[in-house]
Amino acid sequence: MFLLSFSYLYDAVKVLSLAVSKHPSCSHKQVLFAERLFIRSLIRTFVTSIYIIDLMKKESLRIVYMGTPDFAVESLRCLVEGGYNVVGVVTGPDKAVGRHGSVLQPTPVKQYAVEHGLRVLQPERLKDEAFIEELRSLEADLQIVVAFRMLPEVVWAMPRLGTFNLHASLLPQYRGAAPINWAVINGDKETGVTTFFLKHEIDTGAVIRQV
């Protein structure tokens, strides 16, 4: 297991620290930039996890990707640009924005998926029978989750190779939401990322790799 030094993440931590303390000089764009900087520094772990599981040619491995915010776009981009066979993308529903809520705003992951011609599923409920059947029809060998909702067993147990999650902490530290924020709040000088298989208890499955 390798650890990321504080100096390597200094710029990201500095911006996120300002965000956590609600400093007026920290813009939303700065927070997004920090998140992207962090995930790019960890992307090799994500790719390594794919290689560990990939027992066939990557073009034949059918992958369903699940994610919603900007944080999850980089991993999807890594798969697409790496030539992996992403057969579907599951993300959150469009959100109504504007003064009268008349404009629907797609998630960042959906925007990227549409731009690259990927099939998009946007279930309101993850146990909805219509969604389950559509997901099953994709015949995924593997599902990958980055910054998405908690999945029911009927979803995460569906692929033959299972479902794994990319979590932005060195588990068992900072299970659950906002692991980067908690690392900053607690003044950690080292942090990292974990890929692991999903199971019933949140963030407790078998670890694939940590960096």
Side-chain angles (χ1 to χ4, degrees), residues 176-195:
I180 299 175
N181 301 65
W182 283 114
V184 173
I185 290 170
N186 292 331
D188 292 355
K189 294 185 177 181
E190 293 177 331
T191 188
V193 66
T194 303
T195 48

Side-chain angles (χ1 to χ4, degrees), residues 64-73 75 88-94 107-110 120-127 131-132 135 143-152 155-156 163-168 176-179 196 198 202-203:
V64 167
Y65 185 85
M66 301 182 179
T68 293
D70 284 286
F71 185 85
V73 174
S75 298
V89 173
V90 181
T91 189
D94 296 350
T107 71
V109 165
K110 179 183 178 179
V120 176
L121 286 68
Q122 295 179 274
E124 290 282 351
R125 297 185 302 109
L126 295 176
K127 291 184 179 181
F131 164 67
I132 295 298
L135 183 63
Q143 291 177 161
I144 298 170
V145 182
V146 181
F148 194 56
R149 289 178 274 174
M150 187 172 180
L151 303 180
V155 172
W156 60 255
T163 300
F164 80 77
N165 182 63
L166 174 69
H167 186 77
F196 65 96
L198 294 187
I202 187 168
D203 297 340

Side-chain angles (χ1 to χ4, degrees), residues 34-204:
E35 290 181 340
R36 287 172 183 150
L37 178 64
F38 184 83
I39 195 61
R40 284 171 183 167
S41 71
L42 304 173
I43 207 69
R44 290 182 181 178
T45 299
F46 180 81
V47 176
T48 300
S49 298
I50 292 287
Y51 288 150
I52 290 172
I53 298 172
D54 191 357
L55 304 178
M56 60 178 75
K57 291 183 178 180
K58 63 183 180 181
E59 294 84 0
S60 302
L61 185 69
R62 297 176 64 83
I63 297 173
V64 167
Y65 185 85
M66 301 182 179
T68 293
D70 284 286
F71 185 85
V73 174
E74 290 299 327
S75 298
L76 179 57
R77 180 181 289 115
C78 177
L79 289 172
V80 172
E81 295 180 356
Y84 288 92
N85 184 21
V86 180
V87 297
V89 173
V90 181
T91 189
D94 296 350
K95 289 187 176 181
V97 297
R99 184 174 181 180
H100 302 291
S102 58
V103 178
L104 292 178
Q105 177 68 45
T107 71
V109 165
K110 179 183 178 179
Q111 291 180 40
Y112 180 87
V114 170
E115 289 170 3
H116 291 80
L118 301 175
R119 183 172 175 179
V120 176
L121 286 68
Q122 295 179 274
E124 290 282 351
R125 297 185 302 109
L126 295 176
K127 291 184 179 181
D128 181 77
E129 291 184 8
F131 164 67
I132 295 298
E133 288 306 311
E134 187 176 7
L135 183 63
R136 187 174 286 115
S137 72
L138 297 178
E139 299 180 337
D141 298 302
L142 175 71
Q143 291 177 161
I144 298 170
V145 182
V146 181
F148 194 56
R149 289 178 274 174
M150 187 172 180
L151 303 180
E153 183 175 1
V154 67
V155 172
W156 60 255
M158 190 178 296
R160 66 182 186 86
L161 295 179
T163 300
F164 80 77
N165 182 63
L166 174 69
H167 186 77
S169 79
L170 293 170
L171 292 173
Q173 285 185 313
Y174 305 127
R175 290 189 175 117
I180 299 175
N181 301 65
W182 283 114
V184 173
I185 290 170
N186 292 331
D188 292 355
K189 294 185 177 181
E190 293 177 331
T191 188
V193 66
T194 303
T195 48
F196 65 96
F197 285 104
L198 294 187
K199 57 181 291 188
H200 290 286
E201 296 78 13
I202 187 168
D203 297 340
T204 59

